[in-house]
Amino acid sequence: MTLDPNRRALMGAAGALALGSMLAFAQDKPTARVIKVVAKKFEFVPGEIHVKKGERIILQFTAPEVPMGFNLADFGMRTDIVPGKATTLQLTPARAGSFIFACDVFCGSGHEDMSGTLVVSD
């Protein structure tokens, strides 16, 4: 079966338009930066995380020892961190400043000092 030249041109144009739309959509969504955070007795490593306002990030948590928690109250975010399992949170901060995060699962003596800072710059 052969297609007439007009139909072939129309199908080629439709295919090119679809491919161009897919590429434009893929470029509109910036890739998230993955930041690995280890929650260990009694600190987060790193203890200070620097990002830019509007930057898409994924915080990837691990805990080598005991169950921990992560609470970033200023952004309404929290998660449990379980040993042997990676936990992730996605965040795109919309405002600049320094924001405290803390462990909110009792992890032993020293737990009350387990905190860090998310620094968001313009």
Side-chain angles (χ1 to χ4, degrees), residues 5-64:
N6 289 336
R7 190 172 215 175
R8 179 176 286 160
L10 181 62
M11 290 184 72
L17 181 62
L19 180 61
S21 296
M22 288 188 325
L23 290 174
F25 178 74
Q27 291 174 351
D28 286 345
K29 192 172 185 180
T31 303
R33 177 167 58 118
V34 176
I35 301 170
K36 294 182 179 193
V37 180
V38 179
K40 60 182 188 174
K41 290 185 176 181
F42 297 96
E43 64 180 331
F44 289 99
V45 178
E48 193 168 277
I49 300 170
H50 292 263
V51 300
K52 294 185 185 230
K53 184 171 95 173
E55 179 183 11
R56 230 175 62 136
I57 61 169
I58 296 173
L59 298 172
Q60 184 180 58
F61 300 97
T62 55

Side-chain angles (χ1 to χ4, degrees), residues 4 12 15 26 28-29 31 36 52-53 55 62-63 66-67 70 76 80-81 84 86 90-92 103 108 113 119:
D4 68 75
D28 286 345
K29 192 172 185 180
T31 303
K36 294 182 179 193
K52 294 185 185 230
K53 184 171 95 173
E55 179 183 11
T62 55
V66 297
F70 174 85
D80 291 319
I81 309 167
Q90 290 190 38
L91 172 65
T92 305
C103 177
D113 296 322
V119 180

Side-chain angles (χ1 to χ4, degrees), residues 66-70 78-81 102-108 111 114:
V66 297
M68 303 280 188
F70 174 85
R78 83 148 315 273
T79 191
D80 291 319
I81 309 167
C103 177
D104 63 357
V105 172
F106 183 74
C107 53
H111 161 78
M114 188 171 172

Side-chain angles (χ1 to χ4, degrees), residues 97-118:
S98 291
F99 307 96
I100 302 297
F101 56 85
C103 177
D104 63 357
V105 172
F106 183 74
C107 53
S109 177
H111 161 78
E112 60 278 352
D113 296 322
M114 188 171 172
S115 64
T117 307
L118 174 70

